[in-house]
Amino acid sequence: PLLNIKGVSNLRELTSLNLSIAGFKDIKELSELTELENLTLEDNNIEDISGLKNLKQLSSLKIANNKIKDIS
């Protein structure tokens, strides 16, 4: 399993990202990817998605089968 996504925040022009079935919990690094339009995070152990609030271009988000407790 992919334990972390450190360094992905350097890919600031990325518009689409699929990190399904990677087994990670922390997605704070994704908050820097403000050009993301499509994001797939299905089948992980993610509990907190607050880091996604900065992704204003996001039009498709797939987050099924995680451990999300709060979507505020």
Side-chain angles (χ1 to χ4, degrees):
L2 181 64
L3 299 178
N4 68 61
I5 51 175
K6 289 182 180 173
V8 75
S9 60
N10 295 322
L11 305 171
R12 295 177 195 245
E13 305 223 3
L14 202 62
T15 59
S16 190
L17 181 61
N18 185 334
L19 293 172
S20 292
I21 316 172
F24 63 90
K25 295 172 79 171
D26 188 0
I27 58 171
K28 291 177 192 159
E29 290 277 326
L30 299 181
S31 67
E32 310 257 343
L33 303 179
T34 56
E35 297 300 315
L36 268 182
E37 297 171 4
N38 303 293
L39 180 58
T40 303
L41 300 169
E42 296 175 315
D43 300 302
N44 285 291
N45 295 311
I46 300 165
E47 296 178 2
D48 181 7
I49 60 169
S50 62
L52 302 181
K53 66 183 173 188
N54 295 332
L55 306 182
K56 306 295 184 198
Q57 302 298 322
L58 202 59
S59 60
S60 174
L61 175 62
K62 297 178 182 177
I63 55 174
N65 299 318
N66 279 285
K67 298 180 179 180
I68 298 166
K69 297 177 181 176
D70 186 3
I71 60 169
S72 58

